[in-house]
Amino acid sequence: MTVERWERRAEVPLILLALAFLGAYAWPVLDPRLDPDLRAFLTAVSWAVWVAFAVDLGVRLLLAEQWRRYAVQHWYDVALVVLPALRPLRLLRLLALVRILDRSAASSLAGRVLVYVAAAAGMAVGLGALVVLDAEQDHPGANITTFGDALWWACTTVTTVGYGDRFPVTIEGRVVAVVLMLVGIGLVGAVTASVATWILGRVQAERAG
C-alpha cells in the first residue's frame, strides 16, 4: 500500500527527529540553570519536530484509502499532534526503534522476546526517569530532585520492587508511576508466556522426533 511505503521511507527520519526531540526535551530537565537563549532554541527545536510529526500524519491520512479508519487505528498519533500539551509523550516515537531492532533479531521466539523486553525496559526506565524528574524537581515537597534519584526510582518501579525511599508527590509523577508499573507487569508476563511457549514447543518437537 502507498501509506505503508511512506511509513517505511519516513521511519528513519522520524526516529532521528524523535532523538532530536529527546535531546531538546531532556537538556532543560537535566540542567535547570540552562542559558535562556539556549532554552529558547531547544524549545524551537521541539516545536519544529512537532510540525514534522504533524506533516507526517497529514501525509499518511492523505495516502490512506480510508483516512477516518486509519485515524481511529492510529489515534495515539492523532492525539500527540492535536494536543501539544502531551509533548513529552511524543518520545514514544522512539518505539519505532524496536521495529528496526526486530529486523536484526533472531528468528526464534526467545530472540524476539529478548529484543522487545530489553528495548521496552530500557526506554521505559530512561523516559520515565526524565518525565518524572521534569514533574517533580520544582515541587517543594519532592524527594526526586536529581536524575540519579529519578533513574533509581524508575528502575525499582518498572521491576515492581518499589523500595519506597523515592516516590513521586505530584499528580503527573504518580501517573508516570502507574504507567511504569503496568509496563513492568506486562514485561514479566511477556517473558513468562514466551518461556512457557518455548518449553512447550521443545517438548512437542521431541515427541514428534
Side-chain angles (χ1 to χ4, degrees):
M1 293 177 59
T2 305
V3 66
E4 292 176 349
R5 288 198 297 270
W6 169 265
E7 288 175 345
R8 285 195 297 269
R9 291 176 180 176
E11 186 175 67
V12 173
L14 288 177
I15 289 174
L16 295 177
L17 287 173
L19 291 174
F21 177 82
L22 174 61
Y25 172 75
W27 196 346
V29 174
L30 298 176
D31 186 8
R33 302 173 186 172
L34 197 63
D35 181 76
D37 292 337
L38 181 55
R39 185 182 294 273
F41 171 75
L42 295 175
T43 300
V45 170
S46 299
W47 281 106
V49 173
W50 176 82
V51 170
F53 287 160
V55 170
D56 168 63
L57 178 62
V59 171
R60 284 188 285 149
L61 291 176
L62 288 175
L63 295 177
E65 295 180 358
Q66 300 180 8
W67 68 270
R68 288 187 178 87
R69 181 178 180 183
Y70 186 89
V72 171
Q73 292 176 341
H74 297 77
W75 60 268
Y76 42 87
D77 283 329
V78 176
L80 297 179
V81 168
V82 173
L83 303 174
L86 299 180
R87 284 187 312 121
L89 295 184
R90 284 200 295 279
L91 294 172
L92 293 177
R93 277 289 187 180
L94 295 172
L95 293 176
L97 288 170
V98 177
R99 293 198 295 270
I100 293 180
L101 292 174
D102 181 54
R103 295 171 187 165
S104 60
S107 58
S108 65
L109 176 63
R112 290 182 180 275
V113 169
L114 178 62
V115 168
Y116 286 126
V117 169
M123 284 189 289
V125 169
L127 300 183
L130 270 177
V131 176
V132 81
L133 180 61
D134 187 19
E136 296 286 312
Q137 61 183 352
D138 294 328
H139 193 278
N143 59 82
I144 300 177
T145 56
T146 66
F147 184 67
D149 292 339
L151 196 60
W152 167 252
W153 170 84
C155 289
T156 59
T157 302
V158 80
T159 55
T160 66
V161 175
Y163 279 102
D165 55 341
R166 294 287 182 270
F167 53 88
V169 296
T170 64
I171 295 176
E172 295 86 351
R174 289 172 179 173
V175 170
V176 175
V178 171
V179 173
L180 281 181
M181 286 184 278
L182 292 176
V183 169
I185 293 172
L187 292 177
V188 171
V191 172
T192 302
S194 63
V195 170
T197 302
W198 178 78
I199 293 175
L200 290 175
R202 292 295 300 269
V203 171
Q204 290 177 353
E206 290 180 0
R207 289 180 177 176

